[in-house]
Amino acid sequence: MKLIYIPILAAFVAATLSERSFTVDYEKDTFLMDGKPFRFISGSFHYFRALPGSWRHILRLMRAAGLNAVMTYIEWSTHEPTEGNYNWDGIANLEQFIQIAEEEDLYVILRPGPYICAERDMGGFPYWLLTKHPNVKLRTYDFDYLHEVQKWYGVLMPKIQNHLYGRGGPVIMVSIENEYGSFAACDGRYLSFLKNLTEQYIQNDAVLFTNDGPEQLPCGRIPGVLATLDFGTAGSPDNYWKKLRKYQPRGPLVNAEYYPGWLTHWMEPMSRVTAGPVVTQLRKMLSQGASVNFYMFFGGTNFAFTAGANDGGPGKFNTDVTSYDYDAPLDEAGDPTSKYYNLRDVILEFLPHPGLSVPGKLPKMKFPPVKMSSLGTLLSEQARRILSKYSVVSQKPLGFEALNQHSGLILYETQIPKDLRRDPQNLSVNNLHDRAYVHVDNKLIGVLSRENAIYSLPISLGVGTKLQLVVENQGRINYGIANDFKGILGAVTLDGHELLNWTMTGFPFEDYSLLEKYIDQYSTSEDTTSSVKIFHGDFDITADKIFDTYLDPRGWGKGVVFINGFNLGRYWPIVGPQVTIYVPRHILVQGKNTIVMVEYQRDIPEDAVINFTDVPILDGPDN
């Protein structure tokens, strides 16, 4: 019986799949799903900004809002953090994310870049491209770059293919590049290469598209590929559609990035976008028959060292905060906001009710203050021996990429020449990327900052003989992509005399087991008077059910925090606006939980504590 029925079943499945199609009807200005007019209202949710245990809850909330699709970037650096070593597990399990979206009755729109921007380190490119190809011209017809993209797509695209709509999956659209019209290179040969490469894998099983701001269409659109626009509440949709029609006379109207919120940098007010204009503009676009994607519907968190930067401010360098709350309809913890309900009311005017009630806001936890014990300084011999990944000697300083280090800190050390007798002497660091904690003989004497264009400070005679610069990578520029190398990239001078003969010690903080080893072996006899200190604490959870919480580092300065080995990201409450750090419930355990904080600059007392609250603080320490 099986031998008879299997071919019949296979023929039935093949016939069913052959009827599935998602295409563009340019004459009727619409998408066609299986030959019938279709439009999407979707929301952006980047799987790499939330832990997998929360994916289903967030996707269900998106479906309950009336959305019929989810859009996500695919981040190259998440999946190939070091060359040839691919990661498809945990937060990088793209196929599981697609499967859960399908189970929650959502179509999927993929944006594989390979450049994604997204306020991520280097716009989603892996840092090792700069180590392997220091002169690479990203996002152009550069042979080294094209070769790496081709290899990456050869690994990525086969994982996508079985999820394409034409092959029975939920993926209806796949993008080519990302807002390329905003990139100065305007390289048509590169876009043609990427179009041809993508088509090899996607064929006719999903719709290919580009996205650009209305003014950037001339360099961003690709002939034969659906062009879409990105715009928010400023200006009239009618004017934007007119600009689109100059280059694409027919086809569906699509706003691929409609902004209900906005990004935020450190040292700025938290970006807030009121719901009223968002609702009004949305209703107008939907009344015109447009398809709309909210960027973002759920923002999430830039865990670890994944937050990027932009080229604004005094030093042409503004760093993105750890939170990607984005003032989105779902907040950083995935809870619905008032904006969510406002938008849901409009969406349900145009799409059928999903038949789901809105899941309620999940409870949050708070804990008593946790005592933190100081475990010495990163400059100690014990910390160097256990926590460093390498120690390299060079006549001149070398950068992160030259040393094959993604992020974290590098300690640069050299001797101060004895024959310099001026008092004080001016220390200058040329081309500093990004922030240097300046020490002499293990004593912090000042901070240099690319963000604020502060590259020099006076050093008095007699403070010591060894100059030590602890340099922090604060995140590579994500928009414009100017090969944002990190570390000390130029000469270091003292009263104009170049300092040579450097020792560089790397602390990437990628291997948490080294921190565990350091905690186990720490000796209280170590010097604890320097900056860049390591703190450790434990707290117990006795509750039967664990919920999210927020770490409150008020009283601390700037640094990075780990809980149970998971890098939650950077904290910087003294400048804000973000104060609290989101702690997802999935990393917490019943019983003992461990906190490790690396505090870069503040003199934290020996009896320091860290607090946990059940309410996020994202609008500054006084709010």
Side-chain angles (χ1 to χ4, degrees), residues 414-418 440-441 462-468:
T414 191
Q415 292 297 123
I416 297 175
K418 294 180 180 179
V440 177
D441 287 358
V463 295
T465 60
K466 180 180 282 189
L467 176 66
Q468 300 157 305

Side-chain angles (χ1 to χ4, degrees), residues 2-240:
K2 290 182 180 179
L3 292 175
I4 296 173
Y5 279 39
I6 285 178
I8 295 174
L9 178 60
F12 172 76
V13 171
T16 302
L17 291 180
S18 68
E19 296 170 3
R20 287 175 64 94
S21 65
F22 189 76
T23 58
V24 176
D25 186 335
Y26 284 94
E27 291 303 314
K28 295 183 179 178
D29 301 330
T30 187
F31 294 105
L32 293 177
M33 177 173 283
D34 303 332
K36 298 178 181 178
F38 175 87
R39 72 126 157 233
F40 65 83
I41 305 176
S42 69
S44 287
F45 165 19
H46 305 149
Y47 57 95
F48 45 80
R49 280 182 159 130
L51 295 186
S54 64
W55 287 351
R56 188 177 299 276
H57 176 73
I58 296 166
L59 290 166
R60 186 164 297 177
L61 274 160
M62 294 175 73
R63 185 70 185 104
L67 302 180
N68 59 1
V70 59
M71 181 182 288
T72 185
Y73 284 125
I74 299 172
E75 186 174 50
W76 187 353
S77 59
T78 288
H79 297 289
E80 194 181 4
T82 59
E83 184 184 7
N85 296 311
Y86 296 98
N87 178 21
W88 301 102
D89 298 323
I91 205 168
N93 197 333
L94 171 64
E95 291 188 274
Q96 182 185 36
F97 179 83
I98 294 171
Q99 180 181 338
I100 294 173
E102 184 176 26
E103 292 169 356
E104 295 302 322
D105 196 26
L106 290 165
Y107 297 107
V108 177
I109 301 170
L110 297 179
R111 297 176 66 180
Y115 162 76
I116 65 171
C117 185
E119 288 68 64
R120 299 284 282 189
D121 185 83
M122 205 167 150
F125 284 127
Y127 84 94
W128 55 261
L129 289 174
L130 301 183
T131 299
K132 185 177 181 181
H133 307 291
N135 298 314
V136 68
K137 295 179 175 59
L138 301 170
R139 306 180 73 192
T140 71
Y141 200 78
D142 174 278
F143 288 131
D144 289 332
Y145 171 64
L146 300 182
H147 174 68
E148 299 297 345
V149 171
Q150 201 162 17
K151 283 200 304 182
W152 162 233
Y153 272 36
V155 175
L156 168 66
M157 289 298 179
K159 292 182 175 293
I160 292 174
Q161 285 176 314
N162 289 336
H163 301 285
L164 299 175
Y165 187 83
R167 301 191 185 192
V171 176
I172 57 175
M173 299 177 69
V174 177
S175 70
I176 299 176
E177 248 282 351
N178 174 52
E179 294 186 330
Y180 192 74
S182 302
F183 189 54
C186 193
D187 190 336
R189 285 198 304 165
Y190 164 58
L191 288 183
S192 294
F193 163 85
L194 198 57
K195 171 182 179 287
N196 293 335
L197 180 63
T198 307
E199 283 180 334
Q200 288 177 25
Y201 296 100
I202 305 304
Q203 297 177 3
N204 295 317
D205 293 321
V207 168
L208 300 181
F209 72 101
T210 61
N211 65 297
D212 286 287
E215 304 298 333
Q216 284 72 46
L217 283 164
C219 282
R221 68 188 183 93
I222 303 173
V225 174
L226 178 70
T228 72
L229 296 183
D230 298 343
F231 60 86
T233 58
S236 168
D238 294 329
N239 293 332
Y240 297 141

Side-chain angles (χ1 to χ4, degrees), residues 7 35 89 93 113 131 198-199 237 247 262 312 328 335 363 366 368 389 420 441 447 452 459 508 614:
D89 298 323
N93 197 333
T131 299
T198 307
E199 283 180 334
Y247 300 97
W262 196 244
D335 290 324
K366 63 191 306 184
K389 279 290 189 178
L420 295 178
D441 287 358
V447 179
N452 296 314
I459 296 180
D614 54 1

Side-chain angles (χ1 to χ4, degrees), residues 570-583:
R570 303 175 177 103
Y571 65 87
W572 201 2
I574 55 176
V575 301
Q578 177 181 359
V579 174
T580 54
I581 300 295
Y582 171 63
V583 182

Side-chain angles (χ1 to χ4, degrees), residues 261-274:
W262 196 244
L263 63 97
T264 302
H265 302 112
W266 294 108
M267 296 188 275
E268 293 178 350
M270 182 69 177
S271 294
R272 298 293 181 188
V273 177
T274 57

